[in-house]
Amino acid sequence: MLNTHDILETINMIREECLDIRTITMGISLWDCVSDDTDRLCDKIYDKITTKAEHLVKTGADIEKMYGIPIVNKRVSVTPVSLVGGNTSPEGYIKIAKTLQRAADSLGINFIGGFSALVQKGMTTGAANMISVIPEALAETQNVCSSVNVASTKAGINMDAIAMMGSAIKRAAYLTRDNNSIGCAKLVVFANVPEDNPFMAGAFCGIGEPDTAINVGVSGPGVVASAIRRAGDCNLSELADVIKKTAFKITRVGQLVANEAATRLNVPFGIVDLSLAPTPAVGDSVAYILEGMGLESCGAYGTTAALAMLNDAVKKGGVMASSHVGGLSGAFIPVSEDAGMIAAVERGALTLEKLEAMTAVCSVGLDMIAIPGDTPEEVIDGIIADEIAIGVVNTKTTAVRVIPAYGKKAGESVEFGGLLGTAPIMNLNNYSPAKFIRRGGRIPAPIHSLKN
């Protein structure tokens, strides 16, 4: 039962500590849109999305007014189009991407995800065709997001797919060079991808999902940072308890919004993703949480341990607040979207290698990291392969979203605006992994994948 203290505390979280609902994402299955005629397929996709999500934006706005809780994004995710597109030609897949954009424009949503493929063990003709035009699709649309799952703990790592993704990232950077290579910010490479993730660019409606579902992503790094400040010089066990209780409160807000949205839209409630998703806003930073725990700077020795504790406490608090926690859930560490991470990079405390170590214990991976525009394709392949290996071996989701900013060098920065923020161009180790990458094939699944 709510009391006055709970209500006032929540109001303060919203007004002073940047608490928000980062996204209400409607997952929409496109299985019943399948057609061997591309034009007919596109018509059915457009009609299904615009019918099912017709009231999504208005519903989000109404809930925002009713509870006074900011809902930053209203989004749609769809069945990976490589599955419903089948053997559609590359040109046909570009037509599908433009159809998704047309649907997004009609609905007024922020992003639409699902220009995606699942190729962890092999690649169909359709998946290969779709991946081949990802750069063009992202360059010719504004709100369409793309993801490719190249590995899983059960299947191993598809190195041929990783090589294709390195090429796709470089071409996406070039094709959107007049807009700071922003196409790469809409493209993510996964291992062990979740099928109910509401966050972009990796959201899609998985093959085990219902016809439609409402998935909500909450946020609140500023709330956690404030709670840690108030806790003072307590020991780490007590601090973990503070974080856990705070995550519980944040997740309850997400659960409230998710249930309300599902009821109003007459759509099943899917999951709450309780990730701490930072923004460039002052105070809304995961790095500041880590520094509040006692680190002089994010990136100092001890950062990985602090992040592991934070991630665990957030999940423990969240699962007590909702019976259906899913998506990624934990702490995001995107460089460009986190003011504290940017500052740590600029002062030289945070390197790509340290970020990679941190991803072994957090929710996602190397996220929104700008690198020099002349980075060789094989080096990008190597970055992806290393990060994906962490996910496969540790039976967790990892991902890579890197931006080789065309024409930019290490030490410069690139401005994306909005939630995507400003990214410092990070220095790289450019020793080549090309011969290793060119071997191709599949890195076998680890022995602990044999659990049956």
Side-chain angles (χ1 to χ4, degrees):
M1 188 176 202
L2 288 175
N3 56 39
T4 303
H5 177 266
D6 292 331
I7 294 169
L8 292 174
E9 184 179 42
T10 303
I11 291 171
N12 185 64
M13 287 178 181
I14 294 167
R15 288 183 176 175
E16 307 296 333
E17 299 169 355
C18 301
L19 174 64
D20 59 47
I21 300 299
R22 188 53 48 84
T23 179
I24 295 178
T25 302
M26 178 181 283
I28 301 175
S29 171
L30 300 181
W31 285 113
D32 55 355
C33 298
V34 173
S35 173
D36 57 5
D37 179 85
T38 302
D39 290 334
R40 177 65 178 143
L41 171 64
C42 289
D43 288 343
K44 292 171 78 171
I45 287 173
Y46 177 83
D47 291 343
K48 176 119 189 227
I49 294 171
T50 54
T51 299
K52 292 291 184 180
E54 180 182 6
H55 303 295
L56 178 63
V57 172
K58 182 180 184 305
T59 298
D62 289 346
I63 295 172
E64 197 170 9
K65 290 175 186 174
M66 179 178 178
Y67 292 112
I69 301 169
I71 300 173
V72 180
N73 286 292
K74 294 84 178 176
R75 301 166 171 168
V76 166
S77 63
V78 299
T79 306
V81 299
S82 68
L83 299 180
V84 297
N87 288 343
T88 299
S89 67
E91 295 75 19
Y93 276 106
I94 292 177
K95 188 175 289 188
I96 293 173
K98 290 181 177 179
T99 299
L100 296 178
Q101 180 62 54
R102 190 159 55 93
D105 290 339
S106 177
L107 295 170
I109 56 176
N110 303 95
F111 289 105
I112 184 164
F115 197 75
S116 305
L118 309 176
V119 294
Q120 58 268 24
K121 200 171 184 180
M123 200 173 300
T124 64
T125 300
N129 286 347
M130 195 218 79
I131 291 172
S132 73
V133 296
I134 286 175
E136 288 77 13
L138 296 179
E140 295 176 30
T141 62
Q142 182 177 355
N143 305 99
V144 174
C145 291
S146 179
S147 61
V148 178
N149 193 68
V150 298
S152 72
T153 300
K154 277 287 187 183
I157 304 173
N158 186 342
M159 293 299 292
D160 296 324
I162 286 178
M164 289 183 71
M165 293 313 299
S167 174
I169 289 167
K170 284 286 285 187
R171 286 197 295 120
Y174 178 77
L175 291 176
T176 56
R177 63 193 181 280
D178 293 335
N179 194 15
N180 292 319
S181 298
I182 198 169
C184 300
K186 302 185 291 174
L187 172 59
V188 59
V189 185
F190 273 109
N192 294 319
V193 67
E195 299 189 2
D196 52 10
N197 166 29
F199 286 99
M200 298 297 171
F204 65 82
C205 181
I207 59 176
E209 293 291 295
D211 194 55
T212 51
I214 287 292
N215 300 314
V216 168
V218 298
S219 188
V223 178
V224 175
S226 295
I228 289 172
R229 270 196 308 274
R230 290 192 297 269
D233 292 327
C234 59
N235 67 40
L236 292 175
S237 295
E238 293 167 333
L239 192 61
D241 201 46
V242 168
I243 296 169
K244 188 166 60 176
K245 289 176 180 176
T246 305
F248 174 88
K249 295 171 185 175
I250 293 170
T251 307
R252 290 302 285 175
V253 174
Q255 178 79 34
L256 172 70
V257 170
N259 284 333
E260 186 68 28
T263 299
R264 291 185 180 212
L265 292 165
N266 194 28
V267 169
F269 159 58
I271 57 95
V272 175
D273 186 319
L274 48 93
S275 297
L276 296 179
T279 72
V282 175
D284 202 23
S285 161
V286 170
Y288 291 161
I289 296 175
L290 301 175
E291 290 165 5
M293 292 167 74
L295 301 169
E296 183 179 2
S297 173
C298 179
Y301 295 117
T303 297
T304 305
L307 182 59
M309 185 184 118
L310 171 65
N311 213 54
D312 180 67
V314 166
K315 290 184 179 183
K316 285 175 177 173
V319 297
M320 292 301 293
S322 174
S323 296
H324 298 289
V325 170
L328 298 163
S329 288
F332 286 6
I333 52 171
V335 173
S336 80
E337 299 171 16
D338 188 309
M341 295 284 178
I342 294 169
V345 170
E346 290 174 342
R347 70 171 72 100
L350 186 61
T351 64
L352 190 65
E353 288 74 21
K354 185 62 177 179
L355 279 164
E356 184 181 296
M358 292 163 67
T359 65
V361 300
C362 78
S363 294
V364 192
L366 298 173
D367 193 20
M368 285 302 293
I369 294 172
I371 59 177
D374 61 357
T375 301
E377 190 177 301
E378 294 83 2
V379 171
I380 296 174
D381 295 339
I383 292 170
I384 296 171
D386 283 349
E387 184 58 34
I388 294 308
I390 289 173
V392 168
V393 172
N394 290 288
T395 320
K396 67 185 291 293
T397 300
T398 52
V400 175
R401 187 163 48 149
V402 293
I403 300 115
Y406 189 81
K408 298 282 187 176
K409 292 183 167 45
E412 297 180 334
S413 64
V414 58
E415 175 68 45
F416 298 116
L419 287 176
L420 296 179
T422 301
I425 310 296
M426 298 189 72
N427 194 35
L428 295 183
N429 170 358
N430 273 318
Y431 285 99
S432 178
K435 188 173 180 180
F436 173 72
I437 300 297
R438 283 198 296 266
R439 288 180 181 272
R442 186 155 50 95
I443 295 178
I447 188 65
H448 60 255
S449 68
L450 302 175
K451 292 183 177 180
N452 290 341

